[in-house]
Short mmCIF file of all heavy atoms in Angstrom, two decimals:
data_model
loop_
_atom_site.label_atom_id
_atom_site.label_comp_id
_atom_site.label_asym_id
_atom_site.label_seq_id
_atom_site.Cartn_x
_atom_site.Cartn_y
_atom_site.Cartn_z
N MET A 1 -51.86 -38.03 46.61
CA MET A 1 -52.21 -39.16 47.47
C MET A 1 -52.89 -40.22 46.64
O MET A 1 -53.75 -39.93 45.83
CB MET A 1 -53.11 -38.67 48.60
CG MET A 1 -53.63 -39.75 49.50
SD MET A 1 -52.28 -40.44 50.43
CE MET A 1 -53.07 -41.75 51.26
N ASN A 2 -52.51 -41.44 46.85
CA ASN A 2 -53.11 -42.57 46.17
C ASN A 2 -54.51 -42.79 46.73
O ASN A 2 -54.70 -42.90 47.93
CB ASN A 2 -52.23 -43.80 46.40
CG ASN A 2 -52.64 -44.96 45.56
OD1 ASN A 2 -53.80 -45.14 45.24
ND2 ASN A 2 -51.67 -45.78 45.20
N ASP A 3 -55.51 -42.88 45.84
CA ASP A 3 -56.89 -43.08 46.28
C ASP A 3 -57.11 -44.47 46.85
O ASP A 3 -57.98 -44.67 47.67
CB ASP A 3 -57.86 -42.83 45.13
CG ASP A 3 -57.93 -41.37 44.74
OD1 ASP A 3 -57.66 -40.51 45.61
OD2 ASP A 3 -58.24 -41.09 43.58
N ASP A 4 -56.33 -45.46 46.41
CA ASP A 4 -56.46 -46.81 46.92
C ASP A 4 -55.36 -47.05 47.95
O ASP A 4 -54.24 -47.44 47.62
CB ASP A 4 -56.36 -47.82 45.78
CG ASP A 4 -56.59 -49.25 46.25
OD1 ASP A 4 -57.05 -49.45 47.39
OD2 ASP A 4 -56.28 -50.17 45.47
N LEU A 5 -55.70 -46.85 49.20
CA LEU A 5 -54.71 -46.98 50.27
C LEU A 5 -54.13 -48.39 50.34
O LEU A 5 -52.98 -48.56 50.74
CB LEU A 5 -55.34 -46.61 51.61
CG LEU A 5 -55.63 -45.14 51.84
CD1 LEU A 5 -56.38 -44.95 53.16
CD2 LEU A 5 -54.36 -44.33 51.84
N HIS A 6 -54.89 -49.38 49.92
CA HIS A 6 -54.41 -50.75 49.99
C HIS A 6 -53.17 -50.97 49.11
O HIS A 6 -52.39 -51.87 49.36
CB HIS A 6 -55.52 -51.73 49.59
CG HIS A 6 -56.73 -51.62 50.46
ND1 HIS A 6 -56.82 -52.23 51.68
CD2 HIS A 6 -57.89 -50.93 50.30
CE1 HIS A 6 -57.98 -51.94 52.23
NE2 HIS A 6 -58.65 -51.15 51.41
N ALA A 7 -52.99 -50.14 48.11
CA ALA A 7 -51.84 -50.28 47.21
C ALA A 7 -50.55 -49.72 47.81
O ALA A 7 -49.49 -49.86 47.21
CB ALA A 7 -52.15 -49.57 45.89
N LEU A 8 -50.62 -49.11 48.97
CA LEU A 8 -49.44 -48.47 49.56
C LEU A 8 -48.71 -49.36 50.57
O LEU A 8 -47.71 -48.94 51.15
CB LEU A 8 -49.85 -47.16 50.25
CG LEU A 8 -50.44 -46.09 49.34
CD1 LEU A 8 -50.87 -44.88 50.17
CD2 LEU A 8 -49.47 -45.70 48.26
N SER A 9 -49.14 -50.59 50.73
CA SER A 9 -48.52 -51.47 51.73
C SER A 9 -47.02 -51.66 51.50
O SER A 9 -46.24 -51.59 52.44
CB SER A 9 -49.20 -52.84 51.72
OG SER A 9 -50.54 -52.72 52.11
N GLY A 10 -46.63 -51.91 50.27
CA GLY A 10 -45.22 -52.13 49.97
C GLY A 10 -44.37 -50.91 50.26
O GLY A 10 -43.30 -51.01 50.86
N ALA A 11 -44.84 -49.75 49.83
CA ALA A 11 -44.10 -48.52 50.08
C ALA A 11 -44.00 -48.23 51.57
O ALA A 11 -42.97 -47.78 52.06
CB ALA A 11 -44.75 -47.36 49.34
N CYS A 12 -45.06 -48.52 52.28
CA CYS A 12 -45.04 -48.31 53.73
C CYS A 12 -44.03 -49.24 54.40
O CYS A 12 -43.29 -48.83 55.29
CB CYS A 12 -46.43 -48.54 54.31
SG CYS A 12 -46.50 -48.37 56.10
N ALA A 13 -43.99 -50.48 53.94
CA ALA A 13 -43.11 -51.48 54.55
C ALA A 13 -41.63 -51.09 54.45
O ALA A 13 -40.85 -51.43 55.33
CB ALA A 13 -43.33 -52.84 53.90
N VAL A 14 -41.27 -50.38 53.40
CA VAL A 14 -39.87 -49.99 53.22
C VAL A 14 -39.66 -48.50 53.53
O VAL A 14 -38.65 -47.92 53.15
CB VAL A 14 -39.34 -50.34 51.81
CG1 VAL A 14 -39.32 -51.84 51.61
CG2 VAL A 14 -40.14 -49.65 50.72
N HIS A 15 -40.64 -47.90 54.20
CA HIS A 15 -40.57 -46.50 54.63
C HIS A 15 -40.31 -45.57 53.44
O HIS A 15 -39.46 -44.67 53.53
CB HIS A 15 -39.51 -46.32 55.71
CG HIS A 15 -39.71 -47.24 56.87
ND1 HIS A 15 -40.69 -47.04 57.81
CD2 HIS A 15 -39.08 -48.39 57.22
CE1 HIS A 15 -40.65 -48.01 58.70
NE2 HIS A 15 -39.68 -48.84 58.37
N ALA A 16 -41.04 -45.79 52.35
CA ALA A 16 -40.85 -44.99 51.14
C ALA A 16 -42.01 -44.04 50.86
O ALA A 16 -42.10 -43.49 49.77
CB ALA A 16 -40.66 -45.92 49.95
N LEU A 17 -42.88 -43.84 51.82
CA LEU A 17 -44.00 -42.92 51.63
C LEU A 17 -43.61 -41.51 52.10
O LEU A 17 -42.91 -41.37 53.11
CB LEU A 17 -45.22 -43.37 52.44
CG LEU A 17 -45.93 -44.64 51.98
CD1 LEU A 17 -47.02 -45.01 52.98
CD2 LEU A 17 -46.50 -44.45 50.60
N PRO A 18 -44.09 -40.50 51.40
CA PRO A 18 -43.92 -39.14 51.92
C PRO A 18 -44.63 -39.04 53.27
O PRO A 18 -45.59 -39.78 53.54
CB PRO A 18 -44.61 -38.26 50.88
CG PRO A 18 -44.74 -39.11 49.66
CD PRO A 18 -44.78 -40.53 50.12
N TYR A 19 -44.19 -38.13 54.09
CA TYR A 19 -44.71 -38.02 55.46
C TYR A 19 -46.23 -37.96 55.51
O TYR A 19 -46.86 -38.68 56.30
CB TYR A 19 -44.10 -36.81 56.17
CG TYR A 19 -44.64 -36.64 57.57
CD1 TYR A 19 -44.21 -37.48 58.59
CD2 TYR A 19 -45.59 -35.68 57.85
CE1 TYR A 19 -44.71 -37.36 59.87
CE2 TYR A 19 -46.10 -35.55 59.13
CZ TYR A 19 -45.66 -36.38 60.14
OH TYR A 19 -46.17 -36.26 61.40
N THR A 20 -46.85 -37.13 54.70
CA THR A 20 -48.31 -36.98 54.77
C THR A 20 -49.02 -38.28 54.40
O THR A 20 -50.00 -38.65 55.05
CB THR A 20 -48.81 -35.84 53.86
OG1 THR A 20 -48.33 -36.06 52.53
CG2 THR A 20 -48.33 -34.49 54.35
N GLU A 21 -48.53 -38.98 53.40
CA GLU A 21 -49.13 -40.26 53.03
C GLU A 21 -48.88 -41.32 54.11
O GLU A 21 -49.73 -42.15 54.37
CB GLU A 21 -48.62 -40.75 51.68
CG GLU A 21 -49.17 -39.94 50.53
CD GLU A 21 -48.78 -40.53 49.18
OE1 GLU A 21 -48.34 -41.69 49.12
OE2 GLU A 21 -48.94 -39.81 48.19
N GLU A 22 -47.71 -41.26 54.72
CA GLU A 22 -47.39 -42.21 55.78
C GLU A 22 -48.36 -42.05 56.95
O GLU A 22 -48.86 -43.03 57.49
CB GLU A 22 -45.96 -42.01 56.26
CG GLU A 22 -45.55 -42.98 57.33
CD GLU A 22 -44.12 -42.77 57.82
OE1 GLU A 22 -43.39 -41.97 57.22
OE2 GLU A 22 -43.76 -43.42 58.80
N VAL A 23 -48.63 -40.81 57.34
CA VAL A 23 -49.56 -40.55 58.44
C VAL A 23 -50.94 -41.08 58.10
O VAL A 23 -51.58 -41.77 58.91
CB VAL A 23 -49.60 -39.05 58.77
CG1 VAL A 23 -50.73 -38.73 59.74
CG2 VAL A 23 -48.26 -38.60 59.35
N LEU A 24 -51.42 -40.80 56.89
CA LEU A 24 -52.74 -41.29 56.48
C LEU A 24 -52.78 -42.81 56.42
O LEU A 24 -53.76 -43.44 56.82
CB LEU A 24 -53.13 -40.69 55.12
CG LEU A 24 -53.41 -39.20 55.11
CD1 LEU A 24 -53.61 -38.71 53.68
CD2 LEU A 24 -54.64 -38.89 55.96
N PHE A 25 -51.71 -43.41 55.93
CA PHE A 25 -51.69 -44.86 55.82
C PHE A 25 -51.60 -45.51 57.19
O PHE A 25 -52.21 -46.56 57.42
CB PHE A 25 -50.54 -45.34 54.92
CG PHE A 25 -50.67 -46.79 54.55
CD1 PHE A 25 -51.63 -47.21 53.66
CD2 PHE A 25 -49.83 -47.73 55.11
CE1 PHE A 25 -51.76 -48.55 53.34
CE2 PHE A 25 -49.95 -49.06 54.79
CZ PHE A 25 -50.92 -49.48 53.90
N GLU A 26 -50.86 -44.93 58.11
CA GLU A 26 -50.80 -45.47 59.47
C GLU A 26 -52.19 -45.44 60.11
O GLU A 26 -52.56 -46.38 60.82
CB GLU A 26 -49.79 -44.69 60.32
CG GLU A 26 -48.35 -44.89 59.91
CD GLU A 26 -47.80 -46.28 60.18
OE1 GLU A 26 -48.31 -46.97 61.09
OE2 GLU A 26 -46.86 -46.69 59.48
N ASP A 27 -52.97 -44.40 59.85
CA ASP A 27 -54.36 -44.36 60.33
C ASP A 27 -55.15 -45.50 59.70
O ASP A 27 -55.95 -46.16 60.36
CB ASP A 27 -55.02 -43.02 60.00
CG ASP A 27 -54.50 -41.88 60.85
OD1 ASP A 27 -53.89 -42.15 61.92
OD2 ASP A 27 -54.68 -40.72 60.45
N HIS A 28 -54.94 -45.72 58.41
CA HIS A 28 -55.63 -46.79 57.70
C HIS A 28 -55.27 -48.15 58.30
O HIS A 28 -56.14 -49.02 58.44
CB HIS A 28 -55.27 -46.75 56.21
CG HIS A 28 -55.75 -47.92 55.43
ND1 HIS A 28 -57.07 -48.09 55.08
CD2 HIS A 28 -55.09 -49.00 54.94
CE1 HIS A 28 -57.21 -49.22 54.41
NE2 HIS A 28 -56.01 -49.79 54.31
N LEU A 29 -54.00 -48.35 58.66
CA LEU A 29 -53.57 -49.63 59.22
C LEU A 29 -54.31 -49.98 60.51
O LEU A 29 -54.56 -51.16 60.78
CB LEU A 29 -52.06 -49.63 59.48
CG LEU A 29 -51.16 -49.68 58.26
CD1 LEU A 29 -49.70 -49.63 58.69
CD2 LEU A 29 -51.42 -50.92 57.43
N ARG A 30 -54.64 -48.99 61.30
CA ARG A 30 -55.36 -49.24 62.54
C ARG A 30 -56.77 -49.77 62.28
O ARG A 30 -57.33 -50.47 63.12
CB ARG A 30 -55.41 -47.99 63.40
CG ARG A 30 -54.07 -47.66 64.05
CD ARG A 30 -54.18 -46.54 65.06
NE ARG A 30 -54.05 -45.21 64.47
CZ ARG A 30 -52.91 -44.68 64.06
NH1 ARG A 30 -51.80 -45.36 64.15
NH2 ARG A 30 -52.88 -43.47 63.55
N ALA A 31 -57.33 -49.46 61.11
CA ALA A 31 -58.69 -49.87 60.79
C ALA A 31 -58.75 -51.05 59.82
O ALA A 31 -59.83 -51.58 59.57
CB ALA A 31 -59.46 -48.69 60.21
N CYS A 32 -57.62 -51.45 59.25
CA CYS A 32 -57.61 -52.49 58.22
C CYS A 32 -56.65 -53.60 58.61
O CYS A 32 -55.44 -53.51 58.34
CB CYS A 32 -57.23 -51.89 56.87
SG CYS A 32 -57.29 -53.07 55.51
N PRO A 33 -57.16 -54.66 59.23
CA PRO A 33 -56.27 -55.74 59.65
C PRO A 33 -55.56 -56.43 58.48
O PRO A 33 -54.45 -56.92 58.64
CB PRO A 33 -57.18 -56.71 60.40
CG PRO A 33 -58.57 -56.28 60.12
CD PRO A 33 -58.54 -54.89 59.61
N GLY A 34 -56.17 -56.45 57.31
CA GLY A 34 -55.54 -57.06 56.15
C GLY A 34 -54.28 -56.32 55.74
O GLY A 34 -53.23 -56.94 55.49
N CYS A 35 -54.36 -55.01 55.67
CA CYS A 35 -53.18 -54.21 55.32
C CYS A 35 -52.14 -54.26 56.42
O CYS A 35 -50.94 -54.33 56.14
CB CYS A 35 -53.58 -52.75 55.04
SG CYS A 35 -54.35 -52.52 53.43
N ALA A 36 -52.58 -54.26 57.67
CA ALA A 36 -51.64 -54.33 58.78
C ALA A 36 -50.84 -55.63 58.72
O ALA A 36 -49.62 -55.63 58.91
CB ALA A 36 -52.38 -54.21 60.11
N ALA A 37 -51.52 -56.73 58.43
CA ALA A 37 -50.84 -58.02 58.31
C ALA A 37 -49.89 -58.02 57.12
O ALA A 37 -48.76 -58.54 57.22
CB ALA A 37 -51.86 -59.15 58.18
N GLU A 38 -50.32 -57.44 56.01
CA GLU A 38 -49.46 -57.40 54.82
C GLU A 38 -48.20 -56.59 55.08
O GLU A 38 -47.09 -57.01 54.73
CB GLU A 38 -50.22 -56.82 53.64
CG GLU A 38 -49.42 -56.82 52.36
CD GLU A 38 -50.21 -56.35 51.16
OE1 GLU A 38 -51.30 -55.77 51.32
OE2 GLU A 38 -49.71 -56.56 50.04
N VAL A 39 -48.33 -55.44 55.71
CA VAL A 39 -47.17 -54.60 56.02
C VAL A 39 -46.24 -55.34 56.98
O VAL A 39 -45.02 -55.33 56.79
CB VAL A 39 -47.60 -53.23 56.59
CG1 VAL A 39 -46.42 -52.47 57.17
CG2 VAL A 39 -48.29 -52.40 55.52
N ARG A 40 -46.79 -56.00 57.97
CA ARG A 40 -45.97 -56.76 58.93
C ARG A 40 -45.17 -57.85 58.20
O ARG A 40 -43.97 -58.00 58.41
CB ARG A 40 -46.87 -57.35 60.01
CG ARG A 40 -46.16 -57.97 61.16
CD ARG A 40 -47.09 -58.33 62.33
NE ARG A 40 -48.38 -58.90 61.93
CZ ARG A 40 -49.56 -58.23 61.94
NH1 ARG A 40 -49.61 -56.98 62.32
NH2 ARG A 40 -50.67 -58.83 61.58
N GLN A 41 -45.84 -58.58 57.30
CA GLN A 41 -45.15 -59.64 56.55
C GLN A 41 -44.08 -59.07 55.62
O GLN A 41 -42.99 -59.63 55.49
CB GLN A 41 -46.17 -60.45 55.75
CG GLN A 41 -47.06 -61.29 56.62
CD GLN A 41 -48.22 -61.90 55.84
OE1 GLN A 41 -48.52 -61.50 54.72
NE2 GLN A 41 -48.87 -62.89 56.44
N LEU A 42 -44.40 -57.96 54.97
CA LEU A 42 -43.43 -57.34 54.07
C LEU A 42 -42.22 -56.83 54.84
O LEU A 42 -41.08 -56.97 54.38
CB LEU A 42 -44.07 -56.21 53.28
CG LEU A 42 -45.06 -56.63 52.20
CD1 LEU A 42 -45.83 -55.42 51.67
CD2 LEU A 42 -44.34 -57.34 51.07
N ARG A 43 -42.43 -56.27 56.02
CA ARG A 43 -41.31 -55.78 56.84
C ARG A 43 -40.43 -56.94 57.29
O ARG A 43 -39.20 -56.81 57.33
CB ARG A 43 -41.82 -54.98 58.03
CG ARG A 43 -42.30 -53.60 57.61
CD ARG A 43 -42.74 -52.76 58.76
NE ARG A 43 -43.12 -51.42 58.28
CZ ARG A 43 -43.85 -50.58 58.96
NH1 ARG A 43 -44.27 -50.89 60.17
NH2 ARG A 43 -44.15 -49.40 58.45
N GLU A 44 -41.04 -58.09 57.60
CA GLU A 44 -40.26 -59.27 57.96
C GLU A 44 -39.41 -59.72 56.77
O GLU A 44 -38.24 -60.07 56.93
CB GLU A 44 -41.17 -60.40 58.41
CG GLU A 44 -41.82 -60.17 59.76
CD GLU A 44 -42.83 -61.24 60.10
OE1 GLU A 44 -42.93 -62.27 59.39
OE2 GLU A 44 -43.54 -61.05 61.11
N THR A 45 -40.00 -59.69 55.58
CA THR A 45 -39.27 -60.09 54.38
C THR A 45 -38.13 -59.13 54.08
O THR A 45 -37.02 -59.56 53.75
CB THR A 45 -40.23 -60.17 53.17
OG1 THR A 45 -41.26 -61.11 53.46
CG2 THR A 45 -39.50 -60.56 51.90
N VAL A 46 -38.38 -57.84 54.22
CA VAL A 46 -37.34 -56.84 53.99
C VAL A 46 -36.20 -57.04 54.98
O VAL A 46 -35.02 -56.97 54.60
CB VAL A 46 -37.93 -55.41 54.09
CG1 VAL A 46 -36.84 -54.36 54.15
CG2 VAL A 46 -38.86 -55.14 52.92
N ALA A 47 -36.52 -57.30 56.23
CA ALA A 47 -35.48 -57.53 57.23
C ALA A 47 -34.67 -58.78 56.88
O ALA A 47 -33.44 -58.79 57.00
CB ALA A 47 -36.10 -57.66 58.62
N TRP A 48 -35.35 -59.84 56.45
CA TRP A 48 -34.66 -61.07 56.06
C TRP A 48 -33.73 -60.82 54.87
O TRP A 48 -32.59 -61.28 54.86
CB TRP A 48 -35.70 -62.14 55.72
CG TRP A 48 -35.11 -63.43 55.30
CD1 TRP A 48 -34.62 -64.41 56.12
CD2 TRP A 48 -34.92 -63.90 53.97
NE1 TRP A 48 -34.15 -65.46 55.37
CE2 TRP A 48 -34.32 -65.16 54.04
CE3 TRP A 48 -35.20 -63.36 52.72
CZ2 TRP A 48 -33.99 -65.89 52.91
CZ3 TRP A 48 -34.89 -64.09 51.59
CH2 TRP A 48 -34.29 -65.34 51.70
N LEU A 49 -34.22 -60.07 53.87
CA LEU A 49 -33.39 -59.77 52.70
C LEU A 49 -32.20 -58.90 53.08
O LEU A 49 -31.09 -59.11 52.58
CB LEU A 49 -34.23 -59.07 51.63
CG LEU A 49 -35.24 -59.94 50.91
CD1 LEU A 49 -36.15 -59.08 50.04
CD2 LEU A 49 -34.56 -61.01 50.10
N ALA A 50 -32.40 -57.95 53.97
CA ALA A 50 -31.30 -57.09 54.40
C ALA A 50 -30.24 -57.91 55.14
O ALA A 50 -29.04 -57.70 54.95
CB ALA A 50 -31.82 -55.98 55.30
N GLU A 51 -30.69 -58.85 55.94
CA GLU A 51 -29.74 -59.70 56.67
C GLU A 51 -28.95 -60.57 55.69
O GLU A 51 -27.73 -60.73 55.83
CB GLU A 51 -30.50 -60.59 57.66
CG GLU A 51 -29.59 -61.44 58.51
CD GLU A 51 -30.37 -62.28 59.51
OE1 GLU A 51 -31.25 -61.73 60.18
OE2 GLU A 51 -30.08 -63.48 59.58
N ALA A 52 -29.62 -61.11 54.71
CA ALA A 52 -28.94 -61.95 53.72
C ALA A 52 -27.95 -61.14 52.90
O ALA A 52 -26.87 -61.61 52.59
CB ALA A 52 -29.97 -62.61 52.80
N ALA A 53 -28.29 -59.92 52.58
CA ALA A 53 -27.41 -59.06 51.79
C ALA A 53 -26.22 -58.57 52.60
O ALA A 53 -25.18 -58.23 52.03
CB ALA A 53 -28.19 -57.89 51.24
N ALA A 54 -26.35 -58.55 53.91
CA ALA A 54 -25.30 -58.02 54.76
C ALA A 54 -24.15 -59.01 54.96
O ALA A 54 -23.08 -58.62 55.43
CB ALA A 54 -25.88 -57.63 56.11
N GLU A 55 -24.34 -60.25 54.61
CA GLU A 55 -23.28 -61.24 54.79
C GLU A 55 -22.27 -61.15 53.65
O GLU A 55 -22.63 -61.01 52.51
CB GLU A 55 -23.89 -62.64 54.87
CG GLU A 55 -24.76 -62.83 56.07
CD GLU A 55 -25.32 -64.22 56.18
OE1 GLU A 55 -24.68 -65.16 55.64
OE2 GLU A 55 -26.36 -64.37 56.81
N PRO A 56 -21.00 -61.29 53.99
CA PRO A 56 -19.98 -61.25 52.93
C PRO A 56 -20.10 -62.48 52.03
O PRO A 56 -20.44 -63.57 52.51
CB PRO A 56 -18.66 -61.25 53.68
CG PRO A 56 -18.98 -61.70 55.06
CD PRO A 56 -20.42 -61.43 55.29
N PRO A 57 -19.82 -62.34 50.76
CA PRO A 57 -19.89 -63.50 49.86
C PRO A 57 -18.80 -64.50 50.20
O PRO A 57 -17.77 -64.14 50.77
CB PRO A 57 -19.69 -62.90 48.48
CG PRO A 57 -19.04 -61.58 48.71
CD PRO A 57 -19.43 -61.12 50.07
N PRO A 58 -19.04 -65.77 49.85
CA PRO A 58 -18.02 -66.80 50.15
C PRO A 58 -16.75 -66.60 49.33
O PRO A 58 -16.71 -65.99 48.33
CB PRO A 58 -18.72 -68.09 49.78
CG PRO A 58 -19.89 -67.74 48.96
CD PRO A 58 -20.19 -66.30 49.21
#
């Protein structure tokens, strides 16, 4: 487990955390509005990138 939970925002945003770390980080998100906002923004960016990648090239 990473001792600095704040460093796990990116991995959480792309669902790349092992289950036990994900559970601990989700608990952390409820208490840390900064991390919660960062994960929300990263998930929006990931969704935008996925949408852009899903379009066929010209």
Side-chain angles (χ1 to χ4, degrees):
M1 175 68 186
N2 190 328
D3 290 333
D4 184 13
L5 289 174
H6 301 278
L8 298 177
S9 296
C12 178
V14 295
H15 305 285
L17 291 174
Y19 178 75
T20 54
E21 288 187 15
E22 182 181 352
V23 170
L24 291 173
F25 192 72
E26 292 291 334
D27 288 342
H28 171 75
L29 288 178
R30 286 189 273 285
C32 184
C35 283
E38 183 175 14
V39 168
R40 189 170 41 256
Q41 290 170 345
L42 289 169
R43 285 183 177 162
E44 289 174 9
T45 301
V46 167
W48 179 81
L49 289 171
E51 183 178 313
E55 295 183 26

